[in-house]
Amino acid sequence: MNAILKPTLATDSEAASGGSLAADAWPELAAQIGREVGGPLSAALERVIQLTTTGRIDRGGLRALRAEIERARRAGMVAQQLARYASKRLRQSHERLNLAGTLQSVLAQRSREVGSRGIQVRQSTRPIEVLVDPALLFGLLNALLDWAIECAHASIDFGVDTRSWPAHGCVLCRFTHEPRQEDALADIDAPTLDSLNWHLLRQGAAAMGLLLDREVDGNRVSLALEFPRTVNESIEGVTAIDLEDGFGTSLNSKPLAGSHVLVVAARREMRMAVRSAIADMGLLLDFVGSVDEAIGFCREALPHAIVFEAALRSERLDTLADEIRDEVPGFAFVEVAEEGEAFEVSGFNGQNYARVGRDGLAKSLPSAIVFELSKSF
């Protein structure tokens, strides 16, 4: 393990500057964002033009159109998160978290998505506790998984362990990568190790004060995220005051930016009300109009939370919730009641779902989502 722990990318000086890139690196990154947004949108536009010309599109074409739009949207979301790190306005609330448990939660949350890509994930973890901002750690591990699954050939090995000295906790990731072929017949969509997800991972680690190392040996890729503030009484720099009092209040204006929320609402006005209420949270939103559509959506990939209108509450939705929670305990569901301003957390009076009244949507829905998602960190 020690052979790959040579922190050279996200240094202490980068962390102190909020993870900012060097000034001369931003133009190339901006160009890369343009390519990753513009490329799939151009392909999608060609399909739309063909559809308007012929009036026909087959099922395969529809799937491709959706995938192209989704790629562009995700690239835009990553760009927003990069801008957030570059703003240097992050304030973090450090809490004591089980690193292995958090990683396992992220992998369980996204197991369907990973499985649908034909990628096998193996884990080897130890119960190590670290002091970090919960929401930022959650986002960072999702960025790591995004990067790994877009680059890995067939399988990914994740681990949580400690260095021999200093005894810092580490998240390890190893996989085999097939680099892009430099010829005219190469797939222009072939993954690159220096994708936007890589930049997001690198900047996120720097902003959190973590040490990040990536080594590439032929087609073998190894990555290590090192956590200097690991909970261990013998570690210099972590005191009883650190553990009891933390490091200040969280002022992070978008603590869950990049999290994926599925909204289940049959009425357009309800969908618009939900969108408006959480528009400033930096969430990735998808909308479906029925429980059946939600079931189909979740078969492909689980979101991080589901918001649904009370009119769609049914036995089928309860069954879906039970199935998801068997796979991901504590999965966040928020019900939007037809009227009222009440905000009730899940578990209150035996409720399986959090509940927000429609009249208090703008005020309470963001808090409900943050609170319910934080339970799974």
Side-chain angles (χ1 to χ4, degrees):
M1 172 180 165
N2 292 336
I4 69 170
L5 291 175
K6 302 173 184 175
T8 57
L9 297 179
T11 65
D12 289 340
S13 61
E14 286 177 319
S17 65
S20 298
L21 289 172
D24 58 357
W26 280 107
E28 173 55 32
L29 180 56
Q32 183 174 353
I33 292 170
R35 291 193 298 270
E36 295 202 23
V37 173
L41 283 184
S42 295
L45 179 59
E46 290 180 7
R47 295 186 190 278
V48 171
I49 292 173
Q50 181 180 13
L51 173 60
T52 56
T53 302
T54 65
R56 296 191 302 273
I57 186 169
D58 58 22
R59 184 170 298 178
L62 280 174
R63 283 197 300 267
L65 179 61
R66 176 180 175 179
E68 288 155 357
I69 294 174
E70 180 65 18
R71 282 176 53 204
R73 184 175 67 158
R74 288 188 178 276
M77 291 295 297
V78 171
Q80 289 180 358
Q81 293 178 71
L82 285 170
R84 176 168 161 256
Y85 285 131
S87 71
K88 304 181 184 179
R89 291 194 296 268
L90 285 177
R91 298 292 185 271
Q92 302 179 41
S93 175
H94 291 70
E95 298 180 18
R96 185 171 178 166
L97 296 179
N98 185 314
L99 187 57
T102 307
L103 175 63
Q104 289 165 358
S105 176
V106 169
L107 295 178
Q109 186 94 44
R110 301 183 59 186
S111 60
R112 298 186 186 187
E113 175 189 354
V114 176
S116 69
R117 294 169 177 256
I119 296 176
Q120 179 185 8
V121 172
R122 297 183 290 263
Q123 303 178 49
S124 176
T125 62
R126 294 177 54 193
I128 296 167
E129 293 187 318
V130 294
L131 296 172
V132 290
D133 183 286
L136 290 183
L137 176 62
F138 180 75
L140 186 73
L141 294 179
N142 271 286
L144 171 58
L145 183 58
D146 284 334
W147 175 70
I149 62 178
E150 75 176 348
C151 296
H153 174 54
S155 63
I156 307 169
D157 290 305
F158 284 103
V160 174
D161 208 337
T162 56
R163 296 185 64 187
S164 57
W165 183 257
H168 293 168
C170 297
V171 172
L172 307 174
C173 176
R174 300 184 179 93
F175 57 84
T176 300
H177 171 67
E178 291 188 349
R180 180 180 299 176
Q181 299 298 316
E182 299 296 335
D183 61 60
L185 298 178
D187 181 0
I188 61 173
D189 293 328
T192 169
L193 291 176
D194 294 325
S195 65
L196 286 184
N197 283 321
W198 165 250
H199 288 295
L200 181 63
L201 174 61
R202 185 171 183 262
Q203 298 308 304
M208 295 173 67
L210 309 183
L211 306 177
L212 174 64
D213 176 60
R214 183 184 78 181
E215 289 193 356
V216 182
D217 181 10
N219 63 348
R220 293 189 297 275
V221 181
S222 300
L223 178 138
L225 272 170
E226 181 180 343
F227 292 75
R229 291 196 176 275
T230 299
V231 177
N232 186 319
E233 293 179 358
S234 65
I235 296 179
E236 181 181 359
V238 178
T239 67
I241 294 177
D242 291 333
L243 298 181
E244 293 174 3
D245 297 336
F247 297 88
T249 304
S250 175
L251 300 176
N252 191 352
S253 62
K254 296 184 179 181
L256 298 174
S259 297
H260 185 190
V261 175
L262 176 65
V263 180
V264 188
R267 293 171 293 176
R268 183 177 184 275
E269 61 269 23
M270 180 65 78
R271 293 194 293 269
M272 296 302 294
V274 171
R275 182 194 294 273
S276 176
I278 57 180
D280 295 329
M281 295 181 68
L283 299 170
L284 182 64
L285 299 179
D286 272 302
F287 296 84
V288 295
S290 68
V291 175
D292 286 341
E293 290 179 16
I295 292 171
F297 187 99
C298 292
R299 285 198 186 104
E300 297 183 10
L302 282 181
H304 297 117
I306 292 178
V307 176
F308 65 95
E309 63 174 324
L312 296 179
R313 178 76 177 269
S314 63
E315 185 177 343
R316 284 181 62 76
L317 188 139
D318 292 340
T319 300
L320 173 64
D322 290 341
E323 291 175 352
I324 292 176
R325 284 172 169 167
D326 284 343
E327 186 174 332
V328 184
F331 184 91
F333 280 85
V334 180
E335 177 180 357
V336 180
E338 287 298 320
E339 57 185 19
E341 297 184 0
F343 166 32
E344 300 173 355
V345 300
S346 60
F348 181 77
N349 288 336
Q351 292 183 160
N352 288 328
Y353 313 120
R355 179 177 295 169
V356 174
R358 183 171 180 178
D359 297 334
L361 208 59
K363 178 180 178 181
S364 299
L365 184 57
S367 299
I369 292 175
V370 170
F371 184 82
E372 294 297 318
L373 279 175
S374 68
K375 292 180 179 181
S376 64
F377 294 163

